[in-house]
Short mmCIF file of all heavy atoms in Angstrom, two decimals:
data_model
loop_
_atom_site.label_atom_id
_atom_site.label_comp_id
_atom_site.label_asym_id
_atom_site.label_seq_id
_atom_site.Cartn_x
_atom_site.Cartn_y
_atom_site.Cartn_z
N ALA A 17 -7.24 -7.15 2.15
CA ALA A 17 -6.85 -6.49 3.40
C ALA A 17 -5.90 -5.35 3.04
O ALA A 17 -5.16 -5.44 2.05
CB ALA A 17 -6.18 -7.46 4.37
N LEU A 18 -5.93 -4.29 3.84
CA LEU A 18 -5.03 -3.16 3.65
C LEU A 18 -3.96 -3.18 4.72
O LEU A 18 -4.26 -3.24 5.91
CB LEU A 18 -5.82 -1.85 3.72
CG LEU A 18 -5.00 -0.55 3.66
CD1 LEU A 18 -4.29 -0.42 2.32
CD2 LEU A 18 -5.91 0.66 3.91
N PHE A 19 -2.69 -3.14 4.29
CA PHE A 19 -1.55 -3.08 5.22
C PHE A 19 -0.95 -1.68 5.16
O PHE A 19 -0.60 -1.19 4.07
CB PHE A 19 -0.48 -4.09 4.81
CG PHE A 19 -0.71 -5.50 5.29
CD1 PHE A 19 -1.99 -5.98 5.51
CD2 PHE A 19 0.35 -6.36 5.51
CE1 PHE A 19 -2.21 -7.28 5.94
CE2 PHE A 19 0.15 -7.67 5.95
CZ PHE A 19 -1.13 -8.12 6.16
N LEU A 20 -0.80 -1.05 6.31
CA LEU A 20 -0.20 0.28 6.43
C LEU A 20 1.09 0.16 7.23
O LEU A 20 1.08 -0.21 8.40
CB LEU A 20 -1.18 1.23 7.12
CG LEU A 20 -2.53 1.42 6.43
CD1 LEU A 20 -3.47 2.24 7.31
CD2 LEU A 20 -2.37 2.07 5.06
N CYS A 21 2.20 0.49 6.59
CA CYS A 21 3.51 0.16 7.13
C CYS A 21 4.30 1.40 7.58
O CYS A 21 4.73 2.21 6.74
CB CYS A 21 4.31 -0.60 6.07
SG CYS A 21 5.93 -1.19 6.61
N ILE A 53 -13.10 -3.25 4.64
CA ILE A 53 -11.90 -4.04 4.37
C ILE A 53 -11.02 -4.01 5.61
O ILE A 53 -10.77 -2.93 6.16
CB ILE A 53 -11.14 -3.46 3.16
CG1 ILE A 53 -11.97 -3.62 1.88
CG2 ILE A 53 -9.78 -4.12 2.99
CD1 ILE A 53 -11.41 -2.89 0.69
N PRO A 54 -10.57 -5.14 6.11
CA PRO A 54 -9.72 -5.14 7.31
C PRO A 54 -8.41 -4.38 7.07
O PRO A 54 -7.83 -4.46 5.98
CB PRO A 54 -9.47 -6.62 7.60
CG PRO A 54 -9.80 -7.33 6.33
CD PRO A 54 -10.82 -6.51 5.62
N VAL A 55 -7.98 -3.66 8.10
CA VAL A 55 -6.77 -2.84 8.01
C VAL A 55 -5.81 -3.24 9.12
O VAL A 55 -6.19 -3.35 10.29
CB VAL A 55 -7.10 -1.34 8.14
CG1 VAL A 55 -5.83 -0.49 8.00
CG2 VAL A 55 -8.14 -0.92 7.11
N LEU A 56 -4.55 -3.47 8.75
CA LEU A 56 -3.50 -3.81 9.72
C LEU A 56 -2.40 -2.76 9.64
O LEU A 56 -1.97 -2.38 8.55
CB LEU A 56 -2.95 -5.20 9.46
CG LEU A 56 -3.97 -6.35 9.58
CD1 LEU A 56 -3.32 -7.68 9.24
CD2 LEU A 56 -4.58 -6.40 10.96
N LEU A 57 -1.95 -2.31 10.81
CA LEU A 57 -1.01 -1.19 10.92
C LEU A 57 0.20 -1.60 11.75
O LEU A 57 0.05 -2.24 12.80
CB LEU A 57 -1.72 -0.02 11.59
CG LEU A 57 -0.91 1.21 12.00
CD1 LEU A 57 -0.48 2.00 10.77
CD2 LEU A 57 -1.73 2.09 12.94
N THR A 58 1.40 -1.23 11.27
CA THR A 58 2.60 -1.49 12.07
C THR A 58 3.37 -0.20 12.32
O THR A 58 3.25 0.79 11.60
CB THR A 58 3.56 -2.49 11.37
OG1 THR A 58 3.94 -1.98 10.10
CG2 THR A 58 2.92 -3.85 11.23
N LEU A 77 -7.06 2.39 15.29
CA LEU A 77 -6.41 1.14 14.88
C LEU A 77 -5.30 0.80 15.88
O LEU A 77 -4.58 1.69 16.34
CB LEU A 77 -5.80 1.26 13.49
CG LEU A 77 -6.75 1.38 12.31
CD1 LEU A 77 -5.96 1.58 11.02
CD2 LEU A 77 -7.65 0.16 12.19
N ARG A 78 -5.14 -0.47 16.17
CA ARG A 78 -4.05 -0.89 17.04
C ARG A 78 -2.79 -1.08 16.21
O ARG A 78 -2.76 -1.90 15.29
CB ARG A 78 -4.40 -2.19 17.76
CG ARG A 78 -3.34 -2.62 18.78
CD ARG A 78 -3.81 -3.82 19.58
NE ARG A 78 -3.78 -5.04 18.79
CZ ARG A 78 -3.17 -6.17 19.15
NH1 ARG A 78 -2.53 -6.23 20.30
NH2 ARG A 78 -3.22 -7.23 18.41
N MET A 80 0.78 -2.48 15.59
CA MET A 80 1.63 -3.57 16.05
C MET A 80 3.09 -3.12 15.97
O MET A 80 3.58 -2.74 14.90
CB MET A 80 1.42 -4.81 15.20
CG MET A 80 0.02 -5.38 15.28
SD MET A 80 -0.39 -6.01 16.94
CE MET A 80 0.69 -7.44 17.01
N MET A 87 6.28 -6.73 7.75
CA MET A 87 5.08 -6.65 8.57
C MET A 87 4.55 -8.03 8.95
O MET A 87 3.76 -8.16 9.88
CB MET A 87 3.99 -5.89 7.82
CG MET A 87 4.29 -4.45 7.50
SD MET A 87 2.96 -3.66 6.56
CE MET A 87 1.70 -3.45 7.83
N LEU A 91 2.28 -9.64 12.39
CA LEU A 91 0.87 -9.73 12.01
C LEU A 91 0.44 -11.17 11.71
O LEU A 91 -0.68 -11.40 11.27
CB LEU A 91 0.60 -8.86 10.78
CG LEU A 91 0.82 -7.35 10.97
CD1 LEU A 91 0.55 -6.61 9.67
CD2 LEU A 91 -0.05 -6.79 12.09
N GLU A 94 -2.85 -12.25 13.28
CA GLU A 94 -3.98 -11.55 12.68
C GLU A 94 -4.30 -12.12 11.30
O GLU A 94 -5.46 -12.30 10.94
CB GLU A 94 -3.69 -10.05 12.59
CG GLU A 94 -3.57 -9.35 13.93
CD GLU A 94 -4.85 -9.45 14.75
OE1 GLU A 94 -5.94 -9.31 14.16
OE2 GLU A 94 -4.75 -9.68 15.98
N LEU A 95 -3.26 -12.39 10.52
CA LEU A 95 -3.47 -12.98 9.19
C LEU A 95 -4.13 -14.34 9.29
O LEU A 95 -5.01 -14.68 8.47
CB LEU A 95 -2.14 -13.10 8.46
CG LEU A 95 -1.67 -11.91 7.63
CD1 LEU A 95 -0.27 -12.17 7.09
CD2 LEU A 95 -2.63 -11.63 6.48
N MET A 98 -7.82 -14.43 9.33
CA MET A 98 -8.52 -13.90 8.15
C MET A 98 -8.32 -14.82 6.95
O MET A 98 -7.67 -14.45 5.97
CB MET A 98 -8.03 -12.49 7.83
CG MET A 98 -8.29 -11.49 8.94
SD MET A 98 -7.88 -9.77 8.46
CE MET A 98 -6.10 -9.90 8.31
#
Side-chain angles (χ1 to χ4, degrees):
L18 175 63
F19 277 28
L20 301 172
C21 184
I53 294 171
V55 182
L56 298 178
L57 172 72
T58 58
L77 291 177
R78 185 173 73 127
M80 297 295 291
M87 297 178 74
L91 297 178
E94 294 300 319
L95 271 175
M98 298 187 293

